[in-house]
């Protein structure tokens, strides 16, 4: 199986992967060997979207890493002893630009010294009035144990999570149906939109809107048997 290595310390598993039977390539891989943790998985998906991910642990924070050793994981993949799991993504659209996230989409005040003012619509219906705060976090179930949890002290397994960051809104979070569409319009910015740890960012000025919803894309990961 042709695989590309991904991660800060990726060369540390090159020999292990080759001995298991993988052919290490630079282009057109059949899978990505993501050596790290949750952050490495997100970066690997950004770099190689829709390519099967094989997760090897090099971090204490890796929610989807197998209990098997890295060597066992690689051997099981080569022998075909695995199933796969699809993690759905979110997408944030500003004009014709789109960011996609495995974990979460964050809308945040660009200047930390000043909160932003914004309005929300959910499924096209206004949610409350003008909200003042640092912004929102919109999370997938996979991402609900990250930034979303630090704000809400909770997580969820089904739906889309909407958390308010240092907000005047009384509710600190809502779990919506997974087909929900969230529209945020900035009344007083500027604000910035992030997706996972992708370095790309989208800037929102006064009057700009971002639409956040479930993406049609998935991240597919190996589950060794």
């Amino acid at each position: 199986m042709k695989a590309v290595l991904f991660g800060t310390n990726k060369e540390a598993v090159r020999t292990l992967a080759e001995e298991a039977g993988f052919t290490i390539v630079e282009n057109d891989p059949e899978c990505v060997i993501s050596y790290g943790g949750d952050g490495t998985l997100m970066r690997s998906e950004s770099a190689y979207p829709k390519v099967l991910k094989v997760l090897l642990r090099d971090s204490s924070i890796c929610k989807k890493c197998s209990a098997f050793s890295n060597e066992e994981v690689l051997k099981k993949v080569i022998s075909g002893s695995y199933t796969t799991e699809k993690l759905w993504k979110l997408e944030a659209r500003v004009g014709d630009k789109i960011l996609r996230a495995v974990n979460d989409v964050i809308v945040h005040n660009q200047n930390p010294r000043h909160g932003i003012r914004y309005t929300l619509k959910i499924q096209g219906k206004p949610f409350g009035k003008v909200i003042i705060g640092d912004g929102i976090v919109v999370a997938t179930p996979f991402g609900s144990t990250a930034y979303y949890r630090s704000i809400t002290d909770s997580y969820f397994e089904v739906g889309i999570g909407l958390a308010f960051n240092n907000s005047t809104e009384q509710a600190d979070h809502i779990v919506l149906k997974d087909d929900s569409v969230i529209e945020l319009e900035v009344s007083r910015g500027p604000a910035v939109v992030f997706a996972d740890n992708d370095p790309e960012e989208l800037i929102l000025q006064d009057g700009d809107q971002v639409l956040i919803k479930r993406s049609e894309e998935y991240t597919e990961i190996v589950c060794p048997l």
Side-chain angles (χ1 to χ4, degrees):
M1 180 180 284
K2 295 188 297 183
V4 65
L5 299 177
F6 193 93
T8 303
N9 301 317
K10 63 183 182 181
E11 290 303 318
V13 294
R14 177 182 289 272
T15 300
L16 203 64
E18 290 176 335
E19 289 178 348
F22 287 89
T23 300
I24 306 304
V25 298
E26 297 296 328
N27 299 297
D28 301 319
E30 296 173 87
C31 68
V32 176
I33 297 175
S34 175
Y35 181 50
D38 290 348
T40 306
L41 167 61
M42 290 183 282
R43 291 195 303 273
S44 70
E45 178 62 20
S46 179
Y48 298 93
K50 298 185 283 188
V51 180
L52 181 66
K53 305 299 184 297
V54 178
L55 307 185
L56 300 185
R57 185 184 296 277
D58 186 34
S59 169
S60 61
I61 303 175
C62 187
K63 295 192 290 288
K64 292 296 183 180
C65 281
S66 170
F68 293 110
S69 70
N70 290 341
E71 183 177 9
E72 288 175 309
V73 170
L74 294 170
K75 288 181 178 179
K76 284 179 177 291
V77 173
I78 288 297
S79 68
S81 181
Y82 68 90
T83 61
T84 64
E85 178 183 357
K86 289 184 176 180
L87 306 176
W88 56 265
K89 301 183 189 180
L90 290 166
E91 68 176 42
R93 182 185 297 269
V94 178
D96 59 354
K97 296 181 179 179
I98 298 176
L99 298 179
R100 292 184 175 87
V102 179
N103 238 31
D104 49 36
V105 170
I106 298 168
V107 182
H108 202 279
N109 48 329
Q110 188 179 38
N111 185 341
R113 293 168 293 185
H114 301 287
I116 57 173
R117 295 175 184 261
Y118 59 94
T119 55
L120 284 177
K121 290 182 180 179
I122 299 174
Q123 299 296 76
K125 297 180 179 180
F127 178 85
K129 298 181 181 180
V130 175
I131 302 170
I132 304 171
D134 290 348
I136 62 172
V137 175
V138 183
T140 65
F142 177 75
S144 70
T145 58
Y147 195 8
Y148 177 92
R149 187 170 187 174
S150 72
I151 295 173
T152 68
D153 195 28
S154 67
Y155 68 95
F156 58 92
E157 296 181 349
V158 177
I160 295 175
L162 169 60
F164 298 90
N165 195 353
N166 293 326
S167 171
T168 57
E169 183 60 43
Q170 288 186 345
D172 64 348
H173 68 283
I174 307 168
V175 178
L176 305 167
K177 294 181 179 179
D178 62 12
D179 62 352
S180 297
V181 177
I182 300 164
E183 298 171 80
L184 181 149
E185 180 173 333
V186 173
S187 312
R188 185 189 69 189
V192 60
V193 183
F194 301 99
D196 291 342
N197 48 18
D198 189 331
E200 185 177 2
E201 59 187 47
L202 305 178
I203 304 300
L204 301 176
Q205 302 292 350
D206 296 1
D208 287 344
Q209 298 178 339
V210 55
L211 185 149
I212 304 168
K213 65 177 184 177
R214 179 171 173 166
S215 173
E216 294 182 0
E217 288 191 10
Y218 290 84
T219 301
E220 189 171 18
I221 64 173
V222 161
C223 302
L225 298 174

